[in-house]
Amino acid sequence: MRPEPAFEAPWHAQLFALTVHLNEAGVFAWADWAARFGATLKTHGLARDLNGGDDYFAAWLETLEGLLADQEIAAPEDVKAMRAAWEAAYLRTEHGAPVTLKS
Amino acid sequence: MPHDHSDHDHPHSLLPSDPALRVKALETILTQKGLVDPAALDEIIDTYENRIGPRNGAEVVARAWSDPEFKAGLLENADPLLAELGFYGRQGEHMVVVENTDDVHNMVVCTLCSCYPWPLLGIPPGWYKSDAYRARAVREPRKVLAEFGVTLPEGCAVRVWDSTAEVRYLVLPQRPKDTDGLDASALADLVSRDSMIGCGLAGAS
């Protein structure tokens, strides 16, 4: 029997690593992170029961975005613009070719 | 921007999901600011995907079963012993080991989020992170245990430990009967991840 993969989706792993790395670099304390994350889970969980996969990491992502916005490290408008730049990069890149931001 | 298209008309790269794009955006911004090193991210992912897992915890349990002095130390103050084995928390948390006996069965949850002993067990399974488990483990632990196939004798109490960012728990399951001759590695094989969360018993396959 193969062990279950640690992460269901690559972005879950990427997001997890990003958060752990920032904590280790001293950007925020883990206790503060856990308190914020717990609050987001609680809010998201009001409407329905969250699963431990996409739902869970969606709450995680929202928490990290909020934390980095509050700490003035990554402003929401900058994140939005960068997200759009990546989307455009994927749409203009031929299937199979490496996707890069600069055309 | 909504992008209503069919893939065969547009032979471009498969567009990642919205959250995947947002994670990429954060990573790019933080890398540009020098706060993140992409190689360090890969290293963290590799560690948790391939190098850290429940085998670490199983080794600790197997040693506790065969070495009374180690077990006593582990239950008394686990941190220094675990640090010696290289299993220390990256977030500076304290580890508490709780022992199952004939009278008490321990079970671990994190009602706040999903605090978990990463160095000993790796990344928690999906069910540990779900609302269903996080809410029900406290409210109706015996029912949850039954769903995991664990039925406890009547006189056995269930104690549920709520993890926090500061304190994480590892359950020391009971050693299965008739395992006297087994070496450490064979003993560790009997220790499942779930048994160390308290949602299983050691030796039950």
Side-chain angles (χ1 to χ4, degrees):
Chain A
M1 190 183 80
R2 280 177 63 82
E4 295 165 43
F7 300 101
E8 280 174 29
W11 73 267
H12 298 175
Q14 214 63 30
L15 176 61
F16 171 85
L18 200 53
T19 310
V20 169
H21 186 46
L22 289 169
N23 165 247
E24 287 176 359
V27 174
F28 49 80
W30 198 257
D32 295 339
W33 162 262
R36 275 176 175 259
F37 181 38
T40 313
L41 283 169
K42 205 167 175 181
T43 312
H44 284 204
L46 289 177
R48 63 193 175 87
D49 266 6
L50 308 180
N51 67 42
D54 273 352
D55 290 349
Y56 174 85
F57 281 104
W60 185 304
L61 175 57
E62 188 180 306
T63 308
L64 185 62
E65 286 174 338
L67 184 60
L68 294 174
D70 287 354
Q71 295 205 1
E72 297 181 355
I73 291 172
E77 57 272 21
D78 294 345
V79 178
K80 212 174 153 193
M82 187 61 80
R83 184 212 174 283
W86 272 114
E87 177 165 342
Y90 274 92
L91 294 179
R92 71 163 173 263
T93 305
E94 201 179 312
H95 186 77
V99 181
T100 53
L101 275 179
K102 305 245 160 47
S103 51
Chain B
M1 174 179 64
H3 194 76
D4 205 7
H5 65 83
S6 59
D7 280 333
H8 39 264
D9 292 341
H10 297 263
H12 58 66
S13 305
L14 193 62
L15 190 63
S17 65
D18 169 67
L21 284 169
R22 282 156 61 199
V23 172
K24 252 180 129 45
L26 284 181
E27 187 185 329
T28 308
I29 291 171
L30 295 164
T31 305
Q32 286 174 352
K33 292 198 171 193
L35 285 166
V36 155
D37 169 11
L41 297 183
D42 291 344
E43 168 75 19
I44 292 170
I45 293 171
D46 179 54
T47 298
Y48 283 100
E49 281 189 333
N50 303 314
R51 282 184 272 142
I52 294 188
R55 186 72 192 182
N56 290 358
E59 281 171 20
V60 172
V61 169
R63 178 146 173 218
W65 282 345
S66 20
D67 177 347
E69 202 182 317
F70 177 80
K71 177 176 150 183
L74 200 63
L75 296 173
E76 172 80 29
N77 180 13
D79 290 330
L81 289 175
L82 295 175
E84 248 174 68
L85 295 169
F87 304 149
Y88 50 88
R90 294 168 82 111
Q91 277 67 44
E93 68 272 19
H94 294 295
M95 276 303 308
V96 172
V97 178
V98 289
E99 183 187 16
N100 284 351
T101 64
D102 287 340
D103 302 320
V104 60
H105 178 91
N106 297 284
M107 194 174 156
V108 182
V109 66
C110 173
T111 57
L112 174 68
C113 45
S114 56
C115 298
Y116 191 73
W118 294 344
L120 293 167
L121 298 183
I123 297 298
W127 58 260
Y128 185 85
K129 299 178 281 195
S130 69
D131 274 7
Y133 178 75
R134 290 170 42 229
R136 294 182 56 227
V138 175
R139 215 170 49 221
E140 43 189 24
R142 277 177 196 275
K143 229 173 170 172
V144 173
L145 284 174
E147 286 162 23
F148 277 96
V150 177
T151 320
L152 300 170
E154 274 209 13
C156 185
V158 178
R159 193 175 292 163
V160 181
W161 300 85
D162 195 357
S163 313
T164 66
E166 287 88 15
V167 185
R168 320 270 169 110
Y169 301 92
L170 183 84
V171 174
L172 177 58
Q174 282 190 288
R175 179 171 177 160
K177 308 243 180 301
D178 306 319
T179 54
D180 285 354
L182 299 183
D183 66 11
S185 169
L187 283 175
D189 287 344
L190 300 172
V191 187
S192 66
R193 175 196 66 203
D194 291 0
S195 75
M196 294 180 279
I197 307 175
C199 290
L201 302 176
S205 51

